[in-house]
Structure formats: C-alpha cells, structure tokens
Amino acid sequence: MFGTRMAKQLPLKNLHTEAGARFGLFAGYDMPITYPLGVMKEHLHTREAAGLFDISHMAHLEVRGPQAADLVARACPYASAAQGCRTGRYTFMLNENAGMIDDLIVSRLESDRYLVVANGACAEKDLAHLELLAEDFDAQVTQIPRVFLALQGPKAAATLGKIFPEVVKLLFMQVKELDDGTFISRSGYTGEDGFEIALSLEAAEPFARQLADMPDVEWIGLGARDSLRIEAGLPLYGQDMDEETDPVTAGLIWAVPKDLRNGGTYLGADALREVVSNGASQKRIGLKPDGRAPVRAGSHLYAGEETEAAAVGIVTSGGFGPSCGHPVAIARIHSDHGTVGDRVFAEVRGKRLACSVEKMPFVAHNYYRGEQ
C-alpha cells in the first residue's frame, strides 16, 4: 500500500496542475484523475474529438541484441521472430503456472531490437523478470525514461498530423521512430483511433502544450480513461487479470497463436497446454446492470436473487458508461454460467441487482485499419 507522501510524480506534473487537474494515487504515481471538464464530459469528448492522456506511469523496456527475438519469445507466447519490424503486438508474460505476470504491447523496432511497454505498477517486476531470462540469451534489457502521452479519438489523426504528418498513414498497431528517438504507435486503450507518443523529457513539455492548445484537444484523466476502456471491453491488469489468472480464464487466449496453445518453448507453455486441454473453470463476460446504478469491482455474482442462490462469479471492473447511457461491467464467472442473455445478480451494499450478460465491447472499436 502506497501512502501519498511516497507517490512518484509525473515529469509533467506542473503542466497538469496548471490545467486544473485533481490528482489521486494509481500504480504508485500521483496521477491526474480528472480536469475541470469532469469525467462525463472528458469521456464524451474523447469519443467525439481528441482526448490527451498522460500515461507516463507506464514503463518502456528495450530488449536489444543478437538474441533479442529469442528472449522475447521465451518471455511471451508468440513468434516474435516472425513479427514484422515497425509493428506492435498485444501479448503478456506468463509464469510457470501460466498466470499472467503482466500484459504488454511489444513493438519490433528493428530485427534485433524490441520495445516492451509495461504497466506502471508491474515495471519493477517485469524488468527483473526479463533481466533474469536474459541471462540465457545474448540480449540486454534497459529501461528508458520517457514521457508517454496518448491522443485518442476520431480527430486524433488530423490533430497529430499537423505536427507529424507522417503518422496519418500508419495503420492500427503500426509504429514509427523519429530521428530524435520519439516513438509513435497507432494504438490506445479507449477503443478509439489514436496514438501513443513517447518523447524525451526535454521534448515532452513543449509538445504537450502544443497539443493541449489545439481546438479539438482536451486533457483527459484516469477517471474517463477507465470508463472508456470498460466500454471498449478492454481488461485492466490487477483487476481483470493477475498472476493467478491464465489467458483462457481472462478471455485473452486469442492473443496466443493457435500453434502455441498446445505447447512451445515460452515460460508457462506446459501449464497453458493443460488449461487449454482441460478447459478453464471460469471465463470473462460483459454485464449490463439493470437501472443506472453502477456495479463496481469486487461485487459478487449470484445465480438468483434469493439468499440461497449459488455464488457464480465476481465483477472485476465496473462503472457507468457515458457513451452507452447505462452501467457497464466486466466479470469473471463459472464456465457453466454466463451465456449472452443470461441473468445474474450482483450484490451491492446488501442488495442483489439484476444484470444481463452481454457481448463485449459495449461500444464498437474504431481502430484505423486503412480505407475500407
């Protein structure tokens, strides 16, 4: 448990203070939670224009060397040697029990150089894990200090294109490095088209000020980032997955290539094969609670409203979805429950609230995959 006095500070803290941010603790950092616009309007602005997020709590780990691909393939369940240069990929690191150490975006920058973007709260253990694995390979792991920003929304490309015209042609999950080391990926965590931009500490403040001054851009805090990602059906490490959760249970087995689900040389391969063969006892589902009261993470799910009804699962993420106009939640439920259309009951402050099982995402993804 972190205390406020121990919180790490973002490099652009003063900029957020000038913008009127309210701060709170997340991943060990004093993070902007919301700005004067408020969570609801920040959320809707991102869906309609361009939201600017400071996500510098996330860690950038570079894996470099002749056996960089082999190291990544040992740490993550995918064929990293076949990954195209200048592309990113969603994956995770597994422990020997196929529990998820962290979920990641791994970009291949050159044939012998990868960039691992890790969750801020997991940065130290991820670095230690990769360094330990690296002892068996001719590769080095280095953490790169950077400011990391995200620009998300339907007007993100037009806006960022005024500064970096070359990014407009990038497709979803393509990445680009500029001559000064600036890293740009067409990706994000809201379900919208957008970009994540990593810059040196020196370049970050003037760049952020330039973006924030553009007419379609507003600063967006963690509060709206959470409701945006739940509507998009995107899991959060530490809530929807952890080291006790395997990719099948987390609903993320799609990120493991089919030929690696029954074995491989990556850490956790044997355990994952067993889960795939036997089936997981739980699965991830979407929930739409009746009414307008949100159902939060930690609420237990029951098969019925009566007190003797069987416990069937737990809500892992939940809140109100401003774009949907109703509450939304992500839950983990026993595998013999939770078919789309089923009804379950979430216990909230001693009452059981009816919920319907829904297909995710709650709001369609708008990733840019080229002209249709």
Side-chain angles (χ1 to χ4, degrees), residues 63-113:
V63 180
R64 178 196 289 262
Q67 292 187 301
D70 297 324
L71 172 55
V72 173
R74 176 63 175 156
C76 304
Y78 79 98
S80 55
Q83 182 178 3
C85 288
R86 295 174 295 283
T87 67
R89 183 185 179 95
Y90 177 78
T91 185
F92 24 78
M93 293 192 294
L94 301 177
N95 58 32
E96 290 188 351
N97 298 320
M100 303 174 75
I101 296 172
D102 197 5
D103 68 332
L104 317 159
I105 298 290
V106 179
S107 297
R108 192 175 195 182
L109 304 176
E110 300 176 60
S111 60
D112 62 350
R113 190 162 65 95

Side-chain angles (χ1 to χ4, degrees), residues 123-245:
E124 292 183 7
K125 72 170 182 178
D126 289 0
L127 179 60
H129 181 69
L130 285 171
E131 287 177 335
L132 182 63
L133 295 180
E135 292 177 0
D136 295 328
F137 299 94
D138 186 4
Q140 298 78 47
V141 184
T142 307
Q143 184 165 1
I144 306 172
R146 282 170 160 169
V147 170
F148 198 31
L149 302 171
L151 188 68
Q152 299 282 292
K155 297 184 179 180
T159 300
L160 190 62
K162 293 175 182 175
I163 303 174
F164 300 124
E166 59 270 51
V167 305
V168 174
K169 294 182 180 179
L170 290 177
L171 305 181
F172 180 61
M173 297 304 283
Q174 288 186 328
V175 308
K176 188 173 186 64
E177 268 193 312
L178 307 183
D179 292 341
D180 65 355
T182 297
F183 168 82
I184 303 173
S185 65
R186 195 156 195 165
S187 61
Y189 194 47
T190 61
E192 296 297 326
D193 181 27
F195 302 86
E196 296 184 337
I197 310 111
L199 311 95
S200 68
L201 303 182
E202 296 74 22
E205 182 168 333
F207 172 77
R209 288 186 182 279
Q210 186 178 5
L211 267 186
D213 286 343
M214 290 186 172
D216 291 319
V217 178
E218 292 283 353
W219 279 111
I220 309 296
L222 280 184
R225 183 172 170 85
D226 198 49
S227 57
L228 287 159
R229 68 97 185 165
I230 297 174
E231 281 188 341
L234 301 174
L236 176 64
Y237 191 86
Q239 288 188 196
D240 303 291
M241 65 192 120
D242 53 34
E243 292 201 39
E244 304 299 320
T245 308

